[in-house]
Amino acid sequence: MSAPPVADTGLGRGTGDGPAGPVARRVRPPRWLDLRLGLGVLLVLGSVLVGARVVSAADATVPVWSAAGDLAAGTVLEGDDLVAVSVRLDDVAPAYLATSTRPEGRVLSRAVRAGELLPRSVLEEPTGLVQLALPVQAGFAPPGLARGQAVDVYAVADPALGAAGPTGGDVELVVGAATVQAVSGRGDGVLTTSASTVQVVVAVPADEAAGVLGAIGGRGLVVVVREPVDGAGTTD
């Protein structure tokens, strides 16, 4: 008895009983997907590089000294006169004083304004200057008198004592264009009177100190604030 016929599924592998079936092939994505993938990687890398440059540029600041207030030429710097600020200066950074340098005791060769960055070129060594303390009646010193201002100091005759200057005048300039280094003894309470004494410390050349004291001769003093810092010359 013969075997029943078997249906041909077409899956034969060439066993000799019939023709070989089709071979499965791997499906490959279109080549344009490779191009898009490459462009995407390049865009991501480009974004990372640009972001790194932006962050680096934002951090390219240096800490330098800035004036805490208006300071006249001749001011002997103290720590409270300056504040540290971080700014981007690029190629001009060496022209300004970094916070790694302590400028206390140096003298300003010109006036600087509040908030102005401190150039190295305006600093001088304190050669030949002394600080002279002058007693001034509170009523003869401006209420806003402060450190860093440029002042003139006049000696005035006291009619009650009959004091007069060496030249016999009633008013005499004894200190001109001096810089106030400190003001002390001024009260702000209700008990403050015009008879209260204010100590005004100014910087004068050492060889002129004796002449200033001699010119005062026991007379009363009047302090006059000169032109504000904004009006002072700014030439180095």
Side-chain angles (χ1 to χ4, degrees), residues 107-133:
V107 180
L108 293 179
S109 63
R110 69 161 174 84
V112 295
R113 298 178 177 88
E116 180 181 350
L117 302 184
L118 192 65
R120 293 179 179 273
S121 60
V122 304
L123 298 178
E124 297 179 342
E125 295 296 334
T127 55
L129 289 178
V130 296
Q131 296 193 4
L132 187 63

Side-chain angles (χ1 to χ4, degrees), residues 72-75 129-130 132 134 145-153 173-181 200-205 208 212 223-227:
T75 302
L129 289 178
V130 296
L132 187 63
L134 302 175
L145 185 64
R147 170 178 166 76
Q149 292 181 316
V151 297
D152 292 330
V153 181
L173 177 67
V174 292
V175 178
T179 304
V180 177
Q181 306 298 332
V200 180
V201 180
V202 296
V204 298
E208 296 180 8
V212 170
V223 176
V224 178
V225 177
R226 291 174 65 90
E227 197 171 346

Side-chain angles (χ1 to χ4, degrees), residues 1-190:
M1 182 176 180
S2 61
V6 179
D8 185 4
T9 61
L11 299 178
R13 290 291 181 178
T15 60
D17 295 336
V23 179
R25 296 180 180 180
R26 176 178 296 178
V27 179
R28 294 184 178 181
R31 297 185 62 86
W32 60 268
L33 286 180
D34 295 338
L35 180 60
R36 291 182 63 182
L37 179 60
L39 290 176
V41 172
L42 290 177
L43 287 174
V44 171
L45 290 176
S47 299
V48 171
L49 291 175
V50 171
R53 288 183 63 86
V54 170
V55 172
S56 176
D59 291 340
T61 58
V62 292
V64 296
W65 290 118
S66 171
D70 291 344
L71 300 172
T75 302
V76 181
L77 291 175
E78 296 180 354
D80 293 340
D81 295 328
L82 304 172
V83 293
V85 295
S86 293
V87 292
R88 182 175 178 179
L89 297 174
D90 297 328
D91 295 338
V92 300
Y96 295 91
L97 196 67
T99 54
S100 57
T101 301
R102 305 299 302 182
E104 287 89 340
R106 305 284 292 276
V107 180
L108 293 179
S109 63
R110 69 161 174 84
V112 295
R113 298 178 177 88
E116 180 181 350
L117 302 184
L118 192 65
R120 293 179 179 273
S121 60
V122 304
L123 298 178
E124 297 179 342
E125 295 296 334
T127 55
L129 289 178
V130 296
Q131 296 193 4
L132 187 63
L134 302 175
V136 182
Q137 286 188 353
F140 295 95
L145 185 64
R147 170 178 166 76
Q149 292 181 316
V151 297
D152 292 330
V153 181
Y154 292 88
V156 296
D158 187 343
L161 301 177
T167 60
D170 291 337
V171 178
E172 181 181 359
L173 177 67
V174 292
V175 178
T179 304
V180 177
Q181 306 298 332
V183 180
S184 61
R186 179 167 50 199
D188 297 323
V190 295

